[in-house]
Amino acid sequence: MIFLTFFIGLFANFIGYIPPGNINLTLVQITVNRGLKQALLFIIAFSCVEFFFTYFIMHAARWLSGQVKLDMVIDWVMVVLFGVLGAITWMHRKKMPKTNYSNTESIRYGILLGFLNPMQVPFWIITGTYLITHHWILDGRPALVVFSLGAAAGSFLALFLYAKFAKYFKTKFDLSTRLINTGIAILFFSFAAYHVVKQVYLIFFKH
């Protein structure tokens, strides 16, 4: 049961990081601008934080699911987060990447985005509640620790594949850093706009 719990956490979080979001798009940018080594440091730091993040959210899943305005708060946090990331990427799109980067810089960035990851809150509320309710995993501290370790491994694997793909894609098609950064910035702004439109629809039209 312990091994099953680990692999369920790994599989669930691996699937959760496949769709483009603030984490994997930022990782693509780091890979393109700084190289695979810096991307790997980012992934390791992020995955370590993901363990604690998942453990806390799974513990609080039932309480969080009862908070009426949680979805609205997360949407507006995502608007700010995507907007800021988009603006930073857009402003630096013309800058040539530095040749050397501090290892601690990538580690700090991974830790920061590990905590600034609101998209994972609704994901684990839905997924965690389903898994516990249907007895796929046990609702106890040791089981949640193992599950969170699996989730951290799942995020590491998914992000590592993203980094490898980003490196391959840039090498294969010889795309400029400016073009890639511009594309990522546009995606960030698009995600921010989506959350704004979603909230406008829910507030003014759904009722």
Side-chain angles (χ1 to χ4, degrees):
M1 188 65 182
I2 293 296
F3 289 107
L4 179 61
T5 300
F6 177 85
F7 284 110
I8 289 174
L10 187 152
F11 179 76
N13 217 24
F14 179 85
I15 296 299
Y17 277 105
I18 290 178
N22 60 310
I23 303 302
N24 39 31
L25 287 179
T26 299
L27 175 65
V28 169
Q29 187 182 11
I30 291 173
T31 306
V32 169
N33 293 341
R34 305 183 183 185
L36 194 59
K37 177 186 175 184
Q38 296 297 320
L40 189 58
L41 290 173
F42 172 89
I43 294 169
I44 292 171
F46 178 84
S47 298
C48 289
V49 176
E50 184 78 352
F51 164 77
F52 297 102
F53 191 87
T54 303
Y55 182 77
F56 170 77
I57 294 299
M58 289 292 287
H59 253 303
R62 288 198 178 96
W63 179 81
L64 288 170
S65 63
Q67 304 308 302
V68 178
K69 296 185 178 180
L70 182 64
D71 287 345
M72 183 181 69
V73 171
I74 290 175
D75 276 336
W76 287 116
V77 170
M78 293 309 302
V79 169
V80 174
L81 185 59
F82 280 130
V84 170
L85 289 173
I88 292 172
T89 303
W90 182 266
M91 287 187 296
H92 290 82
R93 72 190 187 282
K94 297 181 181 179
K95 290 186 177 180
M96 292 298 295
K98 294 189 296 184
T99 55
N100 293 311
Y101 287 91
S102 167
N103 292 342
T104 57
E105 186 178 347
S106 295
I107 293 172
R108 283 198 304 267
Y109 203 19
I111 293 172
L112 177 63
L113 286 188
F115 286 108
L116 295 176
N117 192 15
M119 289 286 283
Q120 285 298 87
V121 176
F123 174 78
W124 281 126
I125 288 175
I126 296 169
T127 306
T129 303
Y130 178 88
L131 292 173
I132 292 173
T133 302
H134 289 79
H135 305 291
W136 282 84
I137 61 173
L138 300 175
D139 189 11
R141 185 170 295 177
L144 290 184
V145 168
V146 173
F147 180 83
S148 300
L149 285 171
S155 65
F156 178 91
L157 181 59
L159 294 177
F160 180 75
L161 291 176
Y162 253 97
K164 293 289 284 186
F165 176 77
K167 183 183 178 183
Y168 170 81
F169 194 80
K170 184 178 187 297
T171 305
K172 186 73 173 177
F173 297 98
D174 195 27
L175 298 176
S176 68
T177 300
R178 178 180 177 180
L179 180 62
I180 293 174
N181 285 343
T182 301
I184 292 175
I186 291 172
L187 282 174
F188 279 139
F189 287 135
S190 300
F191 290 148
Y194 162 77
H195 287 284
V196 171
V197 171
K198 176 185 173 184
Q199 282 303 312
V200 169
Y201 170 75
L202 290 175
I203 294 171
F204 295 104
F205 297 101
K206 190 169 183 179
H207 301 296

Coordinates of all heavy atoms in Angstrom, one line a residue, residues 67-155:
Q67 N -14.4 26.6 1.6 CA -14.3 28.0 1.5 C -14.9 28.6 0.3 O -14.4 28.3 -0.8 CB -12.8 28.4 1.6 CG -12.1 27.9 2.8 CD -12.8 28.2 4.1 OE1 -13.0 29.4 4.4 NE2 -13.2 27.2 4.9
V68 N -16.0 29.3 0.4 CA -16.8 29.7 -0.7 C -16.1 30.6 -1.7 O -16.2 30.4 -2.9 CB -18.1 30.5 -0.2 CG1 -18.9 31.0 -1.4 CG2 -18.9 29.6 0.7
K69 N -15.3 31.5 -1.3 CA -14.6 32.5 -2.2 C -13.2 32.1 -2.5 O -12.4 32.9 -3.1 CB -14.6 33.9 -1.5 CG -16.0 34.4 -1.3 CD -15.9 35.9 -0.8 CE -17.3 36.5 -0.6 NZ -17.2 37.9 -0.1
L70 N -12.8 30.8 -2.3 CA -11.4 30.4 -2.5 C -11.1 30.5 -4.0 O -10.0 30.9 -4.4 CB -11.2 29.0 -2.0 CG -9.8 28.5 -2.2 CD1 -8.8 29.3 -1.3 CD2 -9.7 27.0 -1.7
D71 N -12.0 30.0 -4.9 CA -11.8 30.0 -6.3 C -11.6 31.4 -6.8 O -10.7 31.7 -7.7 CB -13.0 29.4 -7.0 CG -13.0 27.9 -6.9 OD1 -12.0 27.3 -6.4 OD2 -14.0 27.3 -7.1
M72 N -12.4 32.4 -6.3 CA -12.2 33.8 -6.8 C -10.9 34.3 -6.4 O -10.2 35.0 -7.1 CB -13.4 34.6 -6.2 CG -13.3 36.1 -6.7 SD -14.6 37.1 -5.9 CE -14.1 37.1 -4.2
V73 N -10.5 34.1 -5.1 CA -9.2 34.6 -4.6 C -8.0 34.0 -5.5 O -7.1 34.7 -5.9 CB -9.0 34.2 -3.1 CG1 -7.6 34.5 -2.7 CG2 -10.0 34.9 -2.3
I74 N -8.1 32.7 -5.8 CA -7.0 32.1 -6.5 C -7.0 32.6 -7.9 O -5.9 32.9 -8.5 CB -7.3 30.5 -6.6 CG1 -7.0 29.9 -5.2 CG2 -6.4 29.9 -7.7 CD1 -7.3 28.4 -5.1
D75 N -8.2 32.9 -8.5 CA -8.2 33.5 -9.9 C -7.5 34.8 -9.9 O -6.7 35.1 -10.8 CB -9.6 33.6 -10.4 CG -10.1 32.3 -11.0 OD1 -9.3 31.5 -11.5 OD2 -11.4 32.1 -11.0
W76 N -7.8 35.7 -8.9 CA -7.2 37.0 -8.9 C -5.7 37.0 -8.6 O -4.9 37.8 -9.1 CB -7.9 38.0 -8.0 CG -9.3 38.4 -8.5 CD1 -10.5 38.1 -8.0 CD2 -9.5 39.1 -9.7 NE1 -11.5 38.6 -8.8 CE2 -10.9 39.2 -9.8 CE3 -8.7 39.7 -10.7 CZ2 -11.5 39.9 -10.9 CZ3 -9.3 40.3 -11.8 CH2 -10.7 40.4 -11.9
V77 N -5.3 36.0 -7.8 CA -3.9 35.8 -7.5 C -3.2 35.4 -8.8 O -2.1 35.9 -9.1 CB -3.6 34.8 -6.4 CG1 -2.2 34.4 -6.3 CG2 -4.1 35.3 -5.0
M78 N -3.8 34.5 -9.6 CA -3.2 34.1 -10.8 C -3.1 35.3 -11.8 O -2.2 35.3 -12.6 CB -4.1 33.0 -11.4 CG -4.0 31.7 -10.6 SD -2.3 31.1 -10.2 CE -1.6 30.9 -11.9
V79 N -4.1 36.1 -11.8 CA -4.1 37.3 -12.7 C -2.8 38.1 -12.4 O -2.1 38.5 -13.3 CB -5.3 38.2 -12.5 CG1 -5.2 39.5 -13.2 CG2 -6.6 37.5 -13.1
V80 N -2.6 38.4 -11.1 CA -1.4 39.2 -10.7 C -0.1 38.4 -11.0 O 0.8 39.0 -11.6 CB -1.5 39.5 -9.2 CG1 -0.2 40.2 -8.7 CG2 -2.7 40.4 -8.9
L81 N -0.1 37.1 -10.7 CA 1.1 36.4 -10.9 C 1.5 36.3 -12.4 O 2.6 36.5 -12.8 CB 0.9 35.0 -10.3 CG 2.2 34.0 -10.4 CD1 3.3 34.7 -9.6 CD2 1.8 32.7 -9.8
F82 N 0.5 35.9 -13.2 CA 0.7 35.8 -14.7 C 1.1 37.2 -15.3 O 1.9 37.3 -16.2 CB -0.5 35.2 -15.4 CG -0.6 33.7 -15.3 CD1 -1.8 33.1 -14.9 CD2 0.5 32.9 -15.6 CE1 -1.9 31.8 -14.8 CE2 0.4 31.5 -15.5 CZ -0.8 31.0 -15.1
G83 N 0.4 38.2 -14.8 CA 0.7 39.6 -15.3 C 2.1 40.0 -14.9 O 2.8 40.6 -15.8
V84 N 2.5 39.7 -13.7 CA 3.9 40.1 -13.3 C 4.9 39.3 -14.1 O 5.9 39.9 -14.6 CB 4.1 39.9 -11.8 CG1 5.6 40.0 -11.4 CG2 3.3 40.9 -11.0
L85 N 4.7 38.0 -14.2 CA 5.7 37.2 -15.0 C 5.7 37.6 -16.4 O 6.8 37.6 -17.1 CB 5.3 35.7 -14.8 CG 5.5 35.0 -13.5 CD1 4.9 33.6 -13.4 CD2 7.0 35.0 -13.1
G86 N 4.5 37.9 -17.0 CA 4.5 38.3 -18.4 C 5.2 39.6 -18.6 O 6.0 39.8 -19.6
A87 N 5.0 40.6 -17.7 CA 5.7 41.9 -17.8 C 7.2 41.8 -17.7 O 7.9 42.4 -18.4 CB 5.1 42.8 -16.7
I88 N 7.6 40.9 -16.7 CA 9.1 40.8 -16.5 C 9.7 40.1 -17.8 O 10.8 40.5 -18.3 CB 9.4 39.9 -15.3 CG1 9.0 40.7 -14.0 CG2 10.8 39.5 -15.2 CD1 9.0 39.8 -12.8
T89 N 9.0 39.1 -18.3 CA 9.5 38.4 -19.5 C 9.6 39.3 -20.7 O 10.5 39.3 -21.5 CB 8.7 37.1 -19.8 OG1 8.6 36.3 -18.7 CG2 9.2 36.4 -21.0
W90 N 8.5 40.1 -20.8 CA 8.4 41.0 -22.0 C 9.5 42.1 -21.9 O 10.1 42.4 -22.9 CB 7.0 41.7 -22.0 CG 6.8 42.6 -23.1 CD1 7.0 44.0 -23.2 CD2 6.4 42.3 -24.5 NE1 6.7 44.5 -24.4 CE2 6.4 43.5 -25.2 CE3 6.1 41.0 -25.1 CZ2 6.0 43.5 -26.6 CZ3 5.7 41.1 -26.4 CH2 5.6 42.3 -27.1
M91 N 9.8 42.6 -20.7 CA 10.8 43.7 -20.6 C 12.2 43.2 -20.8 O 13.0 43.9 -21.3 CB 10.7 44.3 -19.2 CG 9.5 45.2 -19.0 SD 9.5 46.1 -17.4 CE 9.4 44.7 -16.2
H92 N 12.4 41.9 -20.6 CA 13.7 41.3 -20.7 C 13.9 40.5 -22.0 O 14.9 39.8 -22.2 CB 14.1 40.4 -19.5 CG 14.3 41.2 -18.3 ND1 13.2 41.5 -17.4 CD2 15.4 41.6 -17.6 CE1 13.7 42.2 -16.4 NE2 15.0 42.2 -16.5
R93 N 12.9 40.6 -22.9 CA 12.9 39.8 -24.1 C 14.1 40.1 -25.0 O 14.6 39.2 -25.8 CB 11.6 39.9 -24.8 CG 11.4 41.2 -25.6 CD 9.9 41.3 -26.1 NE 9.7 42.5 -26.9 CZ 9.6 43.7 -26.4 NH1 9.6 43.9 -25.1 NH2 9.4 44.7 -27.3
K94 N 14.6 41.4 -25.0 CA 15.6 41.8 -25.9 C 17.0 41.6 -25.3 O 18.0 41.8 -26.0 CB 15.4 43.2 -26.3 CG 14.2 43.5 -27.2 CD 14.1 44.9 -27.6 CE 12.8 45.2 -28.3 NZ 12.7 46.6 -28.7
K95 N 17.1 41.3 -24.0 CA 18.4 41.2 -23.4 C 19.0 39.9 -23.7 O 18.4 38.9 -23.7 CB 18.2 41.4 -21.8 CG 17.8 42.8 -21.4 CD 17.9 42.9 -19.9 CE 17.6 44.3 -19.4 NZ 17.6 44.4 -17.9
M96 N 20.3 40.0 -23.9 CA 21.1 38.7 -24.2 C 21.3 38.0 -22.9 O 21.6 38.7 -21.9 CB 22.4 39.1 -24.8 CG 22.3 39.6 -26.3 SD 21.5 38.4 -27.4 CE 22.8 37.2 -27.4
P97 N 21.2 36.7 -22.9 CA 21.4 35.9 -21.6 C 22.8 36.1 -21.1 O 23.8 36.2 -21.9 CB 21.1 34.5 -22.0 CG 20.3 34.6 -23.3 CD 20.8 35.8 -24.0
K98 N 23.0 36.1 -19.8 CA 24.4 36.2 -19.3 C 25.1 34.8 -19.5 O 24.4 33.8 -19.7 CB 24.3 36.5 -17.8 CG 23.7 37.8 -17.4 CD 23.9 38.1 -15.9 CE 23.1 37.2 -15.1 NZ 23.1 37.5 -13.6
T99 N 26.4 34.9 -19.5 CA 27.1 33.6 -19.7 C 27.2 32.8 -18.4 O 27.3 31.6 -18.4 CB 28.5 33.9 -20.2 OG1 29.2 34.8 -19.3 CG2 28.5 34.5 -21.6
N100 N 27.2 33.5 -17.2 CA 27.3 32.8 -16.0 C 26.2 33.2 -15.0 O 25.8 34.4 -15.0 CB 28.6 33.1 -15.3 CG 29.8 32.6 -16.1 OD1 29.8 31.4 -16.4 ND2 30.8 33.4 -16.3
Y101 N 25.6 32.2 -14.3 CA 24.6 32.4 -13.4 C 24.9 31.8 -12.1 O 25.6 30.7 -12.0 CB 23.2 31.8 -13.9 CG 22.6 32.6 -15.0 CD1 22.9 32.3 -16.3 CD2 21.7 33.7 -14.8 CE1 22.3 33.0 -17.4 CE2 21.1 34.4 -15.8 CZ 21.4 34.0 -17.1 OH 20.9 34.7 -18.1
S102 N 24.5 32.4 -11.0 CA 24.8 31.9 -9.7 C 23.8 30.7 -9.4 O 22.7 30.8 -9.8 CB 24.6 33.0 -8.6 OG 24.5 32.4 -7.3
N103 N 24.4 29.6 -8.9 CA 23.6 28.5 -8.6 C 22.5 28.8 -7.5 O 21.4 28.3 -7.6 CB 24.4 27.3 -8.0 CG 25.3 26.7 -9.1 OD1 25.1 26.9 -10.3 ND2 26.4 26.0 -8.7
T104 N 22.8 29.6 -6.6 CA 21.9 30.0 -5.6 C 20.7 30.8 -6.1 O 19.6 30.8 -5.6 CB 22.5 30.8 -4.4 OG1 23.2 32.0 -5.0 CG2 23.6 30.0 -3.7
E105 N 20.9 31.5 -7.2 CA 19.8 32.3 -7.8 C 18.7 31.4 -8.4 O 17.6 31.6 -8.1 CB 20.4 33.1 -9.0 CG 19.4 34.1 -9.6 CD 20.0 34.9 -10.7 OE1 21.3 34.9 -10.8 OE2 19.3 35.6 -11.5
S106 N 19.1 30.3 -9.0 CA 18.1 29.4 -9.6 C 17.4 28.6 -8.4 O 16.2 28.3 -8.5 CB 18.8 28.4 -10.5 OG 19.3 29.0 -11.7
I107 N 18.2 28.3 -7.4 CA 17.6 27.6 -6.2 C 16.6 28.5 -5.5 O 15.5 28.0 -5.2 CB 18.7 27.2 -5.2 CG1 19.6 26.1 -5.9 CG2 18.1 26.6 -3.9 CD1 20.8 25.7 -5.1
R108 N 17.0 29.8 -5.3 CA 16.0 30.7 -4.7 C 14.8 30.9 -5.5 O 13.7 30.9 -5.0 CB 16.7 32.1 -4.5 CG 17.7 32.1 -3.3 CD 17.9 33.6 -2.9 NE 18.4 34.3 -4.0 CZ 19.7 34.5 -4.3 NH1 20.6 34.0 -3.6 NH2 20.1 35.3 -5.4
Y109 N 14.9 30.9 -6.8 CA 13.8 31.1 -7.7 C 12.9 29.9 -7.6 O 11.6 30.0 -7.6 CB 14.3 31.3 -9.1 CG 13.3 32.0 -10.1 CD1 12.3 32.7 -9.6 CD2 13.5 31.9 -11.4 CE1 11.4 33.4 -10.4 CE2 12.6 32.5 -12.3 CZ 11.6 33.3 -11.8 OH 10.7 33.9 -12.6
G110 N 13.5 28.7 -7.6 CA 12.7 27.5 -7.4 C 11.9 27.4 -6.1 O 10.7 27.0 -6.1
I111 N 12.5 27.8 -5.1 CA 11.9 27.9 -3.7 C 10.7 28.9 -3.8 O 9.6 28.6 -3.3 CB 12.9 28.2 -2.6 CG1 13.9 27.0 -2.5 CG2 12.2 28.5 -1.3 CD1 15.0 27.3 -1.5
L112 N 11.0 30.1 -4.3 CA 10.0 31.1 -4.4 C 8.7 30.7 -5.1 O 7.6 30.8 -4.6 CB 10.6 32.4 -5.0 CG 9.6 33.6 -5.2 CD1 9.1 34.1 -3.9 CD2 10.3 34.7 -6.0
L113 N 8.9 30.1 -6.3 CA 7.8 29.7 -7.1 C 7.1 28.5 -6.6 O 6.0 28.2 -6.8 CB 8.2 29.5 -8.6 CG 8.5 30.7 -9.4 CD1 8.7 30.4 -10.9 CD2 7.3 31.7 -9.3
G114 N 7.9 27.7 -5.8 CA 7.3 26.6 -5.1 C 6.2 27.0 -4.1 O 5.2 26.3 -4.0
F115 N 6.4 28.1 -3.5 CA 5.4 28.7 -2.6 C 4.4 29.5 -3.3 O 3.2 29.5 -2.9 CB 6.1 29.6 -1.5 CG 6.8 28.8 -0.4 CD1 8.2 28.7 -0.4 CD2 6.1 28.0 0.5 CE1 8.9 28.0 0.5 CE2 6.8 27.3 1.5 CZ 8.2 27.3 1.5
L116 N 4.8 30.2 -4.4 CA 3.8 31.0 -5.2 C 3.2 30.1 -6.3 O 3.5 30.3 -7.5 CB 4.5 32.2 -5.8 CG 5.0 33.2 -4.8 CD1 5.7 34.3 -5.5 CD2 3.8 33.8 -4.0
N117 N 2.5 29.1 -5.9 CA 1.9 28.1 -6.9 C 0.5 27.9 -6.6 O 0.1 26.8 -6.3 CB 2.7 26.8 -6.7 CG 2.5 25.9 -7.9 OD1 1.9 26.3 -8.9 ND2 2.9 24.6 -7.7
P118 N -0.4 28.9 -6.8 CA -1.8 28.8 -6.4 C -2.6 27.8 -7.3 O -3.6 27.3 -6.9 CB -2.3 30.2 -6.6 CG -1.4 30.9 -7.5 CD 0.0 30.3 -7.2
M119 N -2.1 27.5 -8.5 CA -2.8 26.6 -9.4 C -2.9 25.2 -8.7 O -3.8 24.4 -9.0 CB -2.0 26.5 -10.7 CG -2.2 27.7 -11.6 SD -3.8 27.9 -12.3 CE -3.7 26.6 -13.6
Q120 N -1.9 24.9 -7.8 CA -1.9 23.5 -7.2 C -3.0 23.4 -6.1 O -3.3 22.3 -5.7 CB -0.5 23.2 -6.6 CG 0.5 22.9 -7.7 CD 0.2 21.6 -8.4 OE1 -0.6 21.7 -9.5 NE2 0.6 20.5 -8.0
V121 N -3.4 24.5 -5.6 CA -4.4 24.5 -4.5 C -5.7 23.8 -5.0 O -6.1 22.8 -4.4 CB -4.7 25.9 -3.9 CG1 -5.8 25.8 -2.8 CG2 -3.4 26.4 -3.3
P122 N -6.4 24.3 -6.0 CA -7.6 23.6 -6.5 C -7.3 22.2 -7.0 O -8.2 21.3 -6.9 CB -8.2 24.5 -7.6 CG -7.0 25.4 -8.0 CD -6.2 25.5 -6.8
F123 N -6.1 22.0 -7.6 CA -5.8 20.7 -8.2 C -5.8 19.7 -7.0 O -6.4 18.6 -7.2 CB -4.4 20.8 -8.9 CG -3.9 19.4 -9.3 CD1 -4.4 18.8 -10.4 CD2 -3.0 18.7 -8.6 CE1 -4.0 17.6 -10.9 CE2 -2.5 17.5 -9.0 CZ -3.0 16.9 -10.1
W124 N -5.1 20.0 -5.9 CA -5.0 19.0 -4.8 C -6.3 18.9 -4.0 O -6.6 17.9 -3.4 CB -3.8 19.3 -3.9 CG -2.5 18.9 -4.5 CD1 -1.4 19.6 -4.7 CD2 -2.2 17.6 -5.0 NE1 -0.4 18.9 -5.3 CE2 -0.9 17.6 -5.5 CE3 -2.9 16.4 -5.1 CZ2 -0.2 16.5 -6.0 CZ3 -2.3 15.2 -5.6 CH2 -1.0 15.3 -6.1
I125 N -7.1 20.0 -4.0 CA -8.4 19.9 -3.3 C -9.2 18.9 -4.0 O -9.9 18.0 -3.4 CB -9.1 21.3 -3.3 CG1 -8.3 22.2 -2.3 CG2 -10.5 21.2 -2.9 CD1 -8.9 23.6 -2.3
I126 N -9.3 19.0 -5.3 CA -10.1 18.1 -6.1 C -9.5 16.6 -6.1 O -10.2 15.7 -5.7 CB -10.3 18.6 -7.5 CG1 -11.1 19.9 -7.5 CG2 -11.1 17.5 -8.4 CD1 -11.1 20.6 -8.9
T127 N -8.3 16.6 -6.5 CA -7.6 15.3 -6.6 C -7.5 14.6 -5.2 O -7.8 13.4 -5.1 CB -6.2 15.4 -7.2 OG1 -6.4 16.1 -8.5 CG2 -5.6 14.1 -7.5
G128 N -7.0 15.3 -4.2 CA -6.8 14.8 -2.9 C -8.1 14.3 -2.3 O -8.1 13.2 -1.7
T129 N -9.1 15.1 -2.4 CA -10.4 14.7 -1.8 C -10.9 13.4 -2.5 O -11.4 12.5 -1.8 CB -11.4 15.8 -1.9 OG1 -10.9 17.0 -1.3 CG2 -12.8 15.5 -1.3
Y130 N -10.8 13.4 -3.8 CA -11.3 12.2 -4.5 C -10.5 10.9 -4.1 O -11.1 9.9 -3.8 CB -11.1 12.4 -6.0 CG -11.5 11.2 -6.9 CD1 -12.8 11.1 -7.3 CD2 -10.6 10.3 -7.2 CE1 -13.2 10.0 -8.0 CE2 -10.9 9.2 -8.0 CZ -12.2 9.0 -8.4 OH -12.6 7.9 -9.1
L131 N -9.2 11.1 -4.0 CA -8.3 9.9 -3.7 C -8.6 9.4 -2.3 O -8.7 8.2 -2.0 CB -6.8 10.3 -3.8 CG -6.3 10.5 -5.3 CD1 -4.9 11.0 -5.2 CD2 -6.5 9.2 -6.1
I132 N -8.8 10.3 -1.3 CA -9.0 9.9 0.1 C -10.4 9.4 0.2 O -10.6 8.3 0.9 CB -8.8 11.1 1.0 CG1 -7.3 11.5 1.1 CG2 -9.3 10.8 2.4 CD1 -7.1 12.8 1.8
T133 N -11.4 10.0 -0.4 CA -12.8 9.6 -0.3 C -13.0 8.2 -0.9 O -13.8 7.4 -0.4 CB -13.7 10.6 -1.0 OG1 -13.6 11.9 -0.5 CG2 -15.2 10.2 -0.9
H134 N -12.3 7.9 -2.0 CA -12.4 6.6 -2.7 C -11.4 5.6 -2.2 O -11.2 4.5 -2.8 CB -12.3 6.8 -4.2 CG -13.5 7.4 -4.8 ND1 -13.7 8.8 -4.7 CD2 -14.6 7.0 -5.4 CE1 -14.8 9.1 -5.3 NE2 -15.4 8.0 -5.8
H135 N -10.7 6.0 -1.1 CA -9.7 5.0 -0.4 C -8.6 4.6 -1.3 O -8.1 3.5 -1.1 CB -10.5 3.8 0.2 CG -11.6 4.2 1.1 ND1 -11.4 4.7 2.3 CD2 -13.0 4.1 0.9 CE1 -12.6 5.0 2.9 NE2 -13.6 4.6 2.0
W136 N -8.2 5.4 -2.2 CA -7.0 5.2 -3.0 C -5.8 5.3 -2.1 O -4.8 4.7 -2.3 CB -6.9 6.1 -4.2 CG -7.8 5.6 -5.3 CD1 -9.1 5.9 -5.5 CD2 -7.5 4.8 -6.5 NE1 -9.6 5.3 -6.6 CE2 -8.6 4.7 -7.3 CE3 -6.3 4.2 -6.9 CZ2 -8.6 3.9 -8.4 CZ3 -6.3 3.5 -8.1 CH2 -7.4 3.4 -8.8
I137 N -5.8 6.3 -1.2 CA -4.7 6.5 -0.3 C -5.3 6.6 1.1 O -6.5 6.9 1.3 CB -3.9 7.7 -0.6 CG1 -4.8 9.0 -0.5 CG2 -3.2 7.6 -1.9 CD1 -4.0 10.3 -0.7
L138 N -4.6 6.3 2.2 CA -5.0 6.4 3.5 C -5.0 7.9 4.0 O -4.1 8.7 3.6 CB -4.2 5.5 4.4 CG -4.2 4.1 4.1 CD1 -3.2 3.3 5.0 CD2 -5.6 3.5 4.2
D139 N -5.9 8.2 4.9 CA -6.0 9.6 5.4 C -5.2 9.6 6.7 O -5.8 9.9 7.8 CB -7.4 10.0 5.6 CG -7.6 11.5 6.0 OD1 -6.6 12.2 5.8 OD2 -8.7 11.9 6.3
G140 N -3.9 9.4 6.7 CA -3.1 9.4 7.9 C -1.8 10.1 7.6 O -1.4 10.3 6.5
R141 N -1.1 10.5 8.7 CA 0.2 11.3 8.5 C 1.2 10.5 7.7 O 1.8 11.1 6.8 CB 0.7 11.7 9.8 CG 1.9 12.6 9.8 CD 2.2 13.2 11.1 NE 1.2 14.1 11.6 CZ 1.2 14.7 12.8 NH1 2.2 14.5 13.6 NH2 0.2 15.5 13.1
P142 N 1.5 9.3 8.1 CA 2.6 8.5 7.3 C 2.2 8.4 5.8 O 3.1 8.5 4.9 CB 2.6 7.2 8.0 CG 2.1 7.4 9.4 CD 1.0 8.5 9.2
A143 N 0.9 8.1 5.6 CA 0.5 7.9 4.2 C 0.6 9.2 3.4 O 1.0 9.2 2.2 CB -1.0 7.4 4.1
L144 N 0.3 10.3 4.0 CA 0.4 11.6 3.3 C 1.8 12.0 3.1 O 2.1 12.7 2.1 CB -0.4 12.7 4.1 CG -1.9 12.6 4.2 CD1 -2.5 13.8 4.9 CD2 -2.5 12.5 2.8
V145 N 2.7 11.6 4.0 CA 4.1 11.9 3.8 C 4.6 11.2 2.6 O 5.3 11.7 1.7 CB 5.0 11.5 5.0 CG1 6.5 11.5 4.7 CG2 4.7 12.4 6.2
V146 N 4.3 9.9 2.5 CA 4.7 9.1 1.3 C 4.0 9.6 0.0 O 4.7 9.7 -1.0 CB 4.3 7.6 1.5 CG1 4.5 6.8 0.2 CG2 5.0 7.0 2.7
F147 N 2.8 10.0 0.1 CA 2.1 10.6 -1.0 C 2.7 11.8 -1.5 O 2.9 12.1 -2.7 CB 0.6 10.8 -0.7 CG -0.2 11.4 -1.8 CD1 -0.8 10.6 -2.8 CD2 -0.4 12.8 -1.9 CE1 -1.5 11.1 -3.8 CE2 -1.2 13.3 -2.9 CZ -1.7 12.4 -3.9
S148 N 3.1 12.7 -0.6 CA 3.7 14.0 -0.9 C 5.1 13.8 -1.5 O 5.5 14.5 -2.4 CB 3.9 14.8 0.4 OG 2.6 15.1 0.9
L149 N 5.8 12.7 -1.0 CA 7.1 12.4 -1.6 C 6.9 12.0 -3.1 O 7.7 12.3 -4.0 CB 7.8 11.2 -0.9 CG 8.5 11.6 0.5 CD1 8.9 10.3 1.2 CD2 9.7 12.5 0.2
G150 N 5.9 11.2 -3.3 CA 5.5 10.8 -4.7 C 5.2 12.0 -5.6 O 5.6 12.1 -6.7
A151 N 4.4 13.0 -5.0 CA 4.0 14.2 -5.7 C 5.3 15.0 -6.1 O 5.4 15.5 -7.2 CB 3.1 15.0 -4.8
A152 N 6.2 15.1 -5.1 CA 7.5 15.8 -5.4 C 8.2 15.1 -6.5 O 8.8 15.8 -7.4 CB 8.3 15.9 -4.2
A153 N 8.3 13.8 -6.5 CA 8.9 13.0 -7.6 C 8.2 13.2 -8.9 O 8.9 13.4 -10.0 CB 9.0 11.5 -7.2
G154 N 6.9 13.3 -8.9 CA 6.1 13.5 -10.1 C 6.4 14.9 -10.7 O 6.5 15.0 -11.9
S155 N 6.5 15.9 -9.9 CA 6.7 17.3 -10.4 C 8.2 17.3 -10.9 O 8.4 17.9 -12.0 CB 6.6 18.3 -9.3 OG 7.5 18.1 -8.2

